[in-house]
Structures are given as C-alpha cells and as structure tokens.
Amino acid sequence: MALPWQPEPLPRSEALLYAALPAYREHGLARFGPDGAVYSADALPVLERCRRTPLHADDLWVLASPKCGTHWTAEMAWLIQHDCDFAGAQSYLAPDRTHFLDAAAIMSPGWRQAAQQQGSDAVCRRLLQPIDGRPRPRLVNTHLPLSLCPPGLLDTCKVIYVARNPKDACVSYYKMLMSDSTLSPETTIEDFVTLYTEGKMVCLPFFPNVLQAWRQRQHPNMLFLTFEEMKRDLRAVIERTAEFLGKKLAAEELDRLQHHLSFESMRENKWVNKEDRIKGQKGADGERLSFMRKGQTGDWKNHLSDETSQKMDRWMEENLRGTGLTFVAEAPQQ
C-alpha cells in the first residue's frame, strides 16, 4: 500500500539537526505523512510495508512516542495477554516477544546494513525480520502515529497508547541517544530541546502523535494510559489493562505482576533493559548504558534550566490548548 503523501526531505541547511545526528548526515532525514513524522530519508518502502501490515483481531498494538513507556507497557501487555507466563518472558521483549514495527525506518542506512550482515548482532538482525513469520497472537509496538499505521487498525485490533509528560520524555530521549552515541557529544540539552519542540528529531513530532490517540480514547479498541498513572498506581493500571484485554487475573497473579513491573524490577530485568547486551558499557556521556534509566516523574528539573523549562511550558500550552489533555509534570509530594 503506497503512502498517499510524498516524503519531504529535511535539507542540509538544518545545521543543528545534522550536527546532532552524525549517522544521518550522508543519506539524510525526511518527514513522512500528514504530520511530518521524521525518519531516515530512504524509509518510504519501510513505512509502506508498515502500512500494509496484515491485521488480525487477536493482534495487540502498543503505541507511544519515544521514551514514554513503550517497553514497560509492552511487558505488562505481553504477560497479561499470555496469562502471566513469567517463564516465557525470559527472552528479549523486542524483538523476540514483540514486533518493533518501524525499527528499520528509524535506523540510518548504515546501521540497517550492518544489522543485516551475517556476522552482526543477532538481536539487531531479528529487529528487521518481517512480521509474517511471527506466531499469533502478535504484540506489535511502534512509535508511528496512527496516521502512518495500517488503515482500519482500531476497527480490527486492540490498541494501547501510553503517553508521558514531554519534559521527562525529552530528557530521557536525550539521555538515551547520548548514551548510545547516536547524538554527537557536542549536542547540549538546550540544542536537543530546540529540535524536540520543533519536531526535528527521529520519531517526532510529539504532539501530533499523542493527540491522534487522545482523540480516539473513547474508541472501544483504544486504551489510553499515561506513564505517570503507571507510576502512581500500577496495580490499578494492570487491572484496567487486563479488563481491556478480556483477562481475569487472580490476586496472586496480580501481586506477582505488580512486583515484576515495578520500575526497580524492570530496570534489573535483562530481557527488557538489554543489560546482558550492553554489559556495563558506558556511553559518550560517561553514564552506564541502561535502556530503563530512572523512570521518574519530574526528573526534568535536574536537567533543564529555568529558561529551557519555560520554553517547553509555552510549547506545551500552545499544543494542549482546547484538547482536554493534561500532563503531570512533577511527582506529588509525599
């Protein structure tokens, strides 16, 4: 299925963008779809393949903007969907138990080629495998906005969308990209906030992504969650998700799943946190590599200046006006 929109290349004059992302300098980045989602400039065939993903009523999709709780939510959803099969969960969440739909679109051509090579990391190679060979029921996770997902998705499949306050999401995205050396070491948090709020970063812009899902929150096949409510009352979110998926969990299963999904437990879970792959490595910023970093509400205060915080406040106010959506930006005082 061809995309009904032509990609719009992000020109080389976007000096801040290409200074921040060395791996994309040769082949470039482009905007795709009605909201201008940013992916590798050569990603059109990949996104067209994503759009024609076959849909089945027993499929479950987890959608989110980057660093908003995709892995956390997918781990919860997989275990509920598979009747709390904790033994079966002893393998990588992505790509073994979930299908990361737009992984190839996110990768630069160089990374994609390296991942496809016979001698490269097996996990990276599996990220690029087509969905057709995966057993059902399938759990699909993606950073694509609904507009780039297969038409009819919500009318066919259950969809869980997880949102997070964009200040924490932005800081966490910056830390991840800096730690895995995707970002140039010279890129400051202020530079990144500029790119983030302008929607000039891979998998962005943020607000078109989240608001498309928010407008569909009453659809019977949509469950709209937030990272902050998972932090505040995880058990209640587990129970809501189980009800949404038509599952009934015993009290013992709820207890065990709540413990398993606590952020402290998730951060030590090598199958989610990729711990046995990164093996204590440190990134370009000197921090120990960890996919699950802090998972805090309000950590942005430790990284954003007053001026940068106010800049994000104005951006959030402008985009949220009239939508009815609000974000919790700070953890409540105990």
Side-chain angles (χ1 to χ4, degrees):
M1 182 181 297
L3 288 182
W5 313 280
Q6 290 300 310
E8 299 178 6
L10 286 162
R12 303 298 172 177
S13 57
E14 296 283 357
L16 184 61
L17 172 64
Y18 288 110
L21 296 172
Y24 297 90
R25 289 172 190 166
E26 181 179 356
H27 297 281
L29 292 157
R31 293 191 180 278
F32 296 86
D35 301 302
V38 176
Y39 284 98
S40 177
D42 70 336
L44 182 60
V46 177
L47 295 174
E48 289 179 338
R49 189 162 61 247
C50 292
R51 192 167 169 81
R52 61 175 181 264
T53 299
L55 301 175
H56 305 281
D58 58 352
D59 291 341
L60 173 61
W61 289 53
V62 175
L63 278 62
S65 191
K67 303 307 291 181
C68 287
T70 316
H71 274 63
W72 195 12
T73 306
E75 181 78 0
M76 173 180 66
W78 190 93
L79 280 161
I80 294 173
Q81 188 182 40
H82 290 82
D83 301 313
C84 292
D85 180 9
F86 291 99
Q90 297 303 302
S91 62
Y92 287 117
L93 178 59
D96 291 334
R97 292 181 284 132
T98 71
H99 182 76
F100 189 176
L101 189 69
D102 49 328
I106 293 170
M107 296 179 183
S108 71
W111 289 340
R112 207 179 306 132
Q113 183 178 10
Q116 290 168 334
Q117 290 174 353
Q118 187 64 30
S120 66
D121 187 287
V123 172
C124 289
R125 288 204 309 276
R126 292 201 300 279
L127 279 173
L128 303 181
Q129 291 177 352
I131 195 172
D132 299 350
R134 290 187 179 271
R136 290 169 53 191
R138 295 167 179 160
L139 178 56
V140 179
N141 70 277
T142 181
H143 296 314
L144 290 174
L146 280 170
S147 59
L148 289 178
C149 290
L153 172 62
L154 268 177
D155 293 328
T156 307
C157 306
K158 297 279 190 180
V159 176
I160 301 175
Y161 191 94
V162 57
R164 186 183 190 184
N165 88 75
K167 285 186 172 181
D168 280 330
C170 177
V171 168
S172 187
Y173 199 17
Y174 172 76
K175 288 290 184 178
M176 184 192 80
L177 295 179
M178 186 63 76
S179 291
D180 68 12
S181 300
T182 298
L183 278 182
S184 167
E186 291 77 29
T187 305
T188 65
I189 186 65
E190 290 78 17
D191 292 336
F192 192 80
V193 167
T194 296
L195 293 169
Y196 195 93
T197 55
E198 293 179 357
K200 294 176 182 175
M201 185 52 60
V202 180
C203 299
L204 297 180
F206 175 86
F207 276 111
N209 193 311
V210 68
L211 289 175
Q212 285 180 44
W214 175 249
R215 288 191 289 267
Q216 295 290 338
R217 66 191 182 279
Q218 301 302 331
H219 193 290
N221 278 346
M222 170 67 80
L223 178 63
F224 190 97
L225 302 175
T226 69
F227 185 98
E228 290 76 24
E229 67 181 315
M230 292 177 72
K231 287 288 294 183
R232 183 180 66 250
D233 193 345
L234 179 58
R235 191 182 189 90
V237 173
I238 293 171
E239 291 175 331
R240 279 179 60 202
T241 305
E243 181 180 5
F244 176 69
L245 297 178
K247 297 285 188 176
K248 181 69 175 177
L249 301 182
E252 182 181 350
E253 291 174 319
L254 275 170
D255 291 341
R256 190 174 178 191
L257 187 52
Q258 183 176 359
H259 172 74
H260 178 85
L261 293 172
S262 68
F263 201 88
E264 293 73 18
S265 176
M266 288 282 287
R267 197 173 188 276
E268 299 304 318
N269 184 342
K270 69 177 183 179
W271 305 114
V272 176
N273 201 31
K274 310 176 185 180
E275 186 69 27
D276 64 335
R277 291 184 60 207
I278 55 184
K279 297 173 183 166
Q281 299 173 43
K282 291 187 177 180
D285 61 356
E287 287 193 11
R288 180 177 68 91
L289 290 184
S290 178
F291 189 81
M292 307 283 287
R293 196 176 63 89
K294 288 186 178 180
Q296 296 177 352
T297 299
D299 185 51
W300 60 266
K301 292 185 294 183
N302 298 317
H303 304 279
L304 303 182
S305 67
D306 289 344
E307 181 181 359
T308 303
S309 173
Q310 291 166 11
K311 175 180 178 177
M312 292 200 77
D313 286 339
R314 292 191 294 271
W315 168 72
M316 291 167 62
E317 181 180 0
E318 178 182 347
N319 282 277
L320 290 171
R321 189 178 299 121
T323 66
L325 176 62
T326 58
F327 286 105
V328 175
E330 298 184 45
Q333 298 296 317
Q334 301 296 324

